[in-house]
């Protein structure tokens, strides 16, 4: 498989991380993705929002277990196949099997608990190889204590903040399973986190705080899989091209070309292995110094809903750091007259130069957020945004710099007769104080249009989202009104309920655009899929 362009791939590692975190494909059944939309319909559960409010809404399989000790769950299977074979490395078919069991227990008049366990089995296949992985895990386990106007939560929990449909810039508390990005209909794309939370309900307002005592990293693949952020292979050639174009490290390249002729192939062998990144991504110590948190003040007045938030968290994706000793070696390799590279003093050469060329580091980020919503006749209008500071990005000399990132989403939806709903969300994200960044574009602009409808007394349900990326349109194109030829994606699903508990569906994920674009790089991964669900 050709190596994906690095500029596009690494900026995806930051920007698509935000799309995951914000809940792309996370349309919540036409309602704000706030604390009233949790799995059990428990509006007093202080901000819990289960992954059942995913792209496909999953309202048909969300049972209510409000009785004491009531248990239930679901079994799901998704089988997908590529529309076209493009190369020998991509997987042609995949399967994701899931069993989720959950329940609520009323332990005392003011004390309740929720427990959820999850088992998944992933399998991918092509003509030459296959891979499979089974994973049982405790999904959620938390208690809720209600006293007066207060709710207190403690345990492993999934939170849900924000108001806009499809994508929510303010939903940042939980880590994200990037491996499930295009399996959103399975409802497990957000990862639970150990947390302590408290909510006070006043007259027309509420105040909420969430404390995360430990850092739980997101789950991701950089290489080796079809939907890995960098593709099957690390784009080494383009990385070296960017370094060479920067003009600061040509001496190092000349030195390596002369004394280690196969160094590029050796470097590619290291970076094409996902295990390398698993072993060289920083693990935060569980000693209460790596915690984070968020606060929210919200309320309603005169038909308007509002939330004001503050965040002190870690980035959802680690920043890739170049080995500083590798970059410092450039000075020692300054070419002599006649364009010969000199041999550095052995005392200046570290053994980690080529065994650890890159590593991943999670950085603290912080900033405010706000969300707003109201109804205008048959229209519902919502907006939200964040200003996140301390995000890292690269200058052209490969030095890291901290920059603010400003993001907002504007959403409107309309309910047509016959329970047909259409929603549209415009997302805009920009880097503050932009200064010719090596990897990141200054602005991203995307439009999401979604629909959902039910027929035959809700036996037949369909929903989908089309995304169009305006980020690469030049100024003269805007002047001419020409917005054609851009990249995007279309995901849809049709589901039939054979009984209240047995459902089957068919869907597709389609991608288009140039391979150096945000979604165009996935165009070889367009696929169709079948799903089956049994609720118990």
């Amino acid at each position: 498989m050709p190596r994906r362009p690095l500029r596009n791939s690494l900026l995806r590692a930051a920007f698509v991380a935000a799309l995951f975190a914000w809940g792309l494909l996370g349309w919540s059944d036409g309602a704000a993705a706030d604390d009233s939309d949790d799995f059990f319909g428990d509006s007093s559960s202080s901000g819990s929002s289960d992954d059942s409010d995913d792209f496909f809404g999953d309202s048909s399989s969300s049972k209510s277990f409000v009785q004491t000790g009531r248990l239930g769950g679901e079994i799901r299977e998704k089988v997908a196949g590529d529309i076209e074979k493009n190369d020998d490395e991509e997987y042609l078919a995949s399967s994701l099997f899931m069993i989720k069991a959950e329940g609520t227990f009323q332990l005392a008049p003011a004390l309740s608990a929720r427990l959820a366990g999850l088992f998944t089995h992933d399998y991918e296949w092509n003509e030459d190889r296959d891979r499979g992985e089974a994973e049982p895990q405790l999904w959620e386990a938390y208690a809720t204590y209600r006293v007066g106007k207060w709710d207190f939560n403690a345990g492993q929990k999934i939170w849900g903040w924000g108001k806009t449909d499809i994508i929510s810039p303010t939903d940042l508390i939980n880590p994200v399973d990037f491996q499930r990005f295009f399996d959103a209909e399975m409802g497990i794309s957000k990862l639970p986190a150990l947390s302590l939370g408290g909510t006070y309900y006043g007259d027309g307002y509420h105040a909420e705080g969430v404390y995360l005592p430990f850092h739980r990293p997101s789950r991701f693949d950089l290489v080796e899989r079809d939907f890995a952020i960098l593709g099957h292979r690390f784009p080494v050639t383009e990385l070296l091209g960017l370094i060479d174009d920067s003009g600061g490290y040509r001496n190092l390249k000349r030195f390596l070309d002369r004394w280690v002729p196969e160094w590029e192939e050796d470097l590619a062998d290291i970076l094409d292995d996902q295990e390398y990144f698993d072993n060289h991504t920083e693990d935060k110590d569980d000693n209460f110094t790596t915690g984070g948190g968020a606060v929210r003040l919200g309320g309603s007045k005169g038909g308007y809903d509002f939330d004001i938030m503050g965040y002190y968290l870690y980035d959802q994706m680690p920043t890739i750091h170049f080995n500083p000793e590798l970059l410092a070696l450039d000075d020692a390799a300054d070419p002599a007259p006649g364009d010969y590279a000199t041999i550095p003093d052995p005392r200046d050469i570290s053994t980690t130069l080529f065994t650890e060329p890159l590593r991943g580091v999670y950085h603290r980020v912080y900033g405010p957020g706000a969300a707003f919503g109201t109804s205008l006749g048959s229209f519902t209008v919502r907006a939200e945004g964040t200003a996140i500071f301390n995000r890292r990005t690269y200058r052209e000399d490969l030095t890291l710099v901290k920059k603010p990132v400003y993001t907002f989403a504007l959403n409107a939806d309309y309910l047509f007769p016959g329970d047909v709903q259409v929603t549209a969300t415009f997302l805009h994200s920009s880097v503050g104080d932009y200064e010719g960044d090596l990897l990141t574009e200054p602005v991203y602009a995307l439009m999401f249009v979604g629909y959902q409808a039910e027929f035959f007394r809700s036996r037949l349900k369909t929903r989908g989202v089309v995304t169009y990326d305006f980020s690469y349109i030049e100024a003269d194109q805007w002047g001419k009104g020409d917005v054609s030829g851009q990249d995007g994606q279309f995901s849809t699903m049709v589901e039939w309920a054979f009984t209240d508990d047995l459902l089957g569906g068919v869907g597709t994920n389609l991608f288009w655009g140039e391979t150096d674009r945000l979604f165009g790089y996935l165009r070889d991964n367009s696929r169709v899929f079948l799903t089956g669900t049994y609720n118990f």
Side-chain angles (χ1 to χ4, degrees):
M1 175 177 285
R3 298 180 187 272
R4 289 175 182 164
L6 180 75
R7 180 182 176 88
N8 179 66
S9 299
L10 290 189
L11 64 87
R12 279 182 45 78
F15 184 69
V16 174
L19 293 182
F20 279 105
W22 298 332
L24 176 59
L25 309 181
W27 190 5
S28 59
D29 255 346
D34 60 12
D35 48 11
S36 63
D37 285 329
D38 69 4
F39 184 86
F40 300 106
D42 186 1
S43 61
S44 59
S45 62
S46 181
S48 174
S49 179
D50 188 88
D51 276 320
S52 58
D53 287 327
D54 57 23
F55 161 55
F56 296 108
D58 195 21
S59 59
S60 61
S61 62
S62 298
K63 290 187 170 183
S64 177
F65 307 112
V66 295
Q67 298 95 337
T68 300
R70 179 70 184 272
L71 298 173
E74 58 187 345
I75 301 173
R76 290 192 178 191
E77 170 70 26
K78 176 180 178 180
V79 178
D82 273 20
I83 293 177
E84 180 182 3
K85 179 180 179 180
N86 302 102
D87 58 66
D88 293 333
E89 288 192 322
E90 69 174 344
Y91 291 105
L92 301 180
S94 65
S95 167
L96 174 56
F97 175 74
M98 178 189 85
I99 301 176
K100 190 177 184 182
E102 49 208 336
T104 55
F105 305 89
Q106 199 68 38
L107 305 178
L111 180 64
S112 63
R114 179 184 176 184
L115 294 174
L118 180 69
F119 172 82
T120 58
H121 183 270
D122 287 277
Y123 180 76
E124 293 177 303
W125 173 91
N126 72 8
E127 296 168 341
D128 299 320
R129 70 189 191 284
D130 61 356
R131 61 175 299 276
E133 179 182 5
E135 181 181 14
Q137 57 183 304
L138 178 65
W139 193 242
E140 287 191 287
Y142 65 88
T144 300
Y145 181 71
R146 298 180 175 91
V147 53
K149 294 184 177 182
W150 286 90
D151 277 4
F152 297 97
N153 292 272
Q156 186 161 288
K157 181 179 172 67
I158 294 176
W159 298 83
W161 285 10
K163 296 186 179 298
T164 55
D165 290 334
I166 301 179
I167 192 164
S168 176
T170 61
D171 191 13
L172 298 174
I173 296 177
N174 286 88
V176 179
D177 190 342
F178 294 93
Q179 296 175 352
R180 310 296 186 201
F181 186 35
F182 292 105
D183 294 316
E185 67 284 346
M186 303 297 283
I188 52 174
S189 56
K190 288 169 63 175
L191 297 174
L194 186 65
S195 62
L196 301 173
T199 305
Y200 177 80
Y201 296 95
D203 185 11
Y205 73 94
H206 64 273
E208 184 173 21
V210 179
Y211 170 61
L212 309 172
F214 309 118
H215 172 247
R216 179 176 183 181
S218 295
R219 182 178 179 180
F220 63 93
D221 288 313
L222 281 182
V223 293
E224 290 192 343
R225 300 182 69 176
D226 289 354
F227 287 98
I229 292 175
L230 301 180
H232 278 270
R233 298 185 180 186
F234 192 94
V236 171
T237 301
E238 187 169 350
L239 169 64
L240 299 175
L242 290 175
I243 292 175
D244 191 53
D245 290 343
S246 72
Y249 302 99
R250 292 176 182 170
N251 297 337
L252 174 60
K253 186 176 184 300
R254 287 171 175 171
F255 167 75
L256 294 174
D257 286 343
R258 178 168 293 275
W259 298 106
V260 193
E262 298 180 356
W263 70 275
E264 291 191 30
E265 292 80 1
D266 295 338
L267 181 62
D269 289 340
I270 294 174
L271 298 182
D272 284 347
D273 186 356
Q274 176 60 36
E275 186 175 353
Y276 172 84
F277 296 101
D278 294 338
N279 294 333
H280 292 83
T281 297
E282 178 187 39
D283 289 327
K284 301 295 183 182
D285 295 329
D286 290 341
N287 57 8
F288 295 98
T289 64
T290 60
V295 294
R296 173 171 69 163
L297 176 65
S300 301
K301 187 175 180 61
Y304 297 93
D305 298 329
F306 68 89
D307 287 313
I308 300 174
M309 301 91 155
Y311 305 92
Y312 183 70
L313 302 166
Y314 280 97
D315 242 340
Q316 294 283 10
M317 276 288 291
T319 300
I320 293 179
H321 284 242
F322 295 94
N323 189 329
E325 295 177 337
L326 181 64
L327 301 183
L329 185 62
D330 179 69
D331 293 334
D334 189 20
D339 207 32
Y340 287 97
T342 61
I343 301 177
D345 189 316
R347 293 171 295 181
D348 297 330
I349 301 177
S350 169
T351 58
T352 67
L353 287 179
F354 303 112
T355 58
E356 300 180 12
L358 306 173
R359 63 189 180 97
V361 178
Y362 287 95
H363 293 287
R364 291 276 193 185
V365 294
Y366 58 88
F372 162 85
T374 189
S375 295
L376 302 174
S378 298
F379 284 93
T380 301
V381 179
R382 305 181 185 94
E384 59 183 80
T386 57
I388 302 299
F389 299 93
N390 219 32
R391 283 227 166 105
R392 265 66 166 183
T393 185
Y394 281 98
R395 292 192 179 102
E396 292 186 352
D397 61 357
L398 295 185
T399 58
L400 280 172
V401 61
K402 301 175 184 178
K403 295 290 184 180
V405 177
Y406 307 106
T407 305
F408 76 88
L410 178 63
N411 166 240
D413 61 61
Y414 184 82
L415 184 62
F416 291 90
D419 291 330
V420 176
Q421 183 184 4
V422 175
T423 185
T425 300
F426 177 74
L427 177 74
H428 185 277
S429 182
S430 61
V431 178
D433 190 26
Y434 188 79
E435 51 177 298
D437 191 280
L438 181 66
L439 297 174
T440 308
E441 300 290 344
V443 174
Y444 292 95
L446 298 95
M447 176 65 75
F448 306 87
V449 178
Y451 69 90
Q452 59 181 2
E454 299 180 0
F455 307 96
F456 304 112
R457 298 180 180 180
S458 298
R459 288 293 185 188
L460 179 66
K461 298 184 178 184
T462 180
R463 62 187 62 209
V465 172
V466 60
T467 308
Y468 200 76
D469 184 3
F470 294 95
S471 306
Y472 304 92
I473 298 179
E474 302 291 342
D476 60 336
Q477 291 179 271
W478 283 113
K480 299 175 183 177
D482 179 13
V483 296
S484 62
Q486 305 306 308
D487 66 310
Q489 68 89 30
F490 176 56
S491 296
T492 188
M493 180 175 174
V494 178
E495 190 172 48
W496 176 262
F498 299 99
T499 69
D500 290 343
D501 295 324
L502 182 62
L503 304 93
V506 59
T508 186
N509 305 121
L510 303 177
F511 310 93
W512 66 86
E514 298 298 325
T515 56
D516 62 346
R517 303 292 176 85
L518 192 61
F519 293 101
Y521 94 107
L522 289 171
R523 66 184 186 183
D524 290 343
N525 293 341
S526 292
R527 60 182 182 172
V528 295
F529 61 84
L530 300 173
T531 64
T533 302
Y534 177 70
N535 301 310
F536 59 89

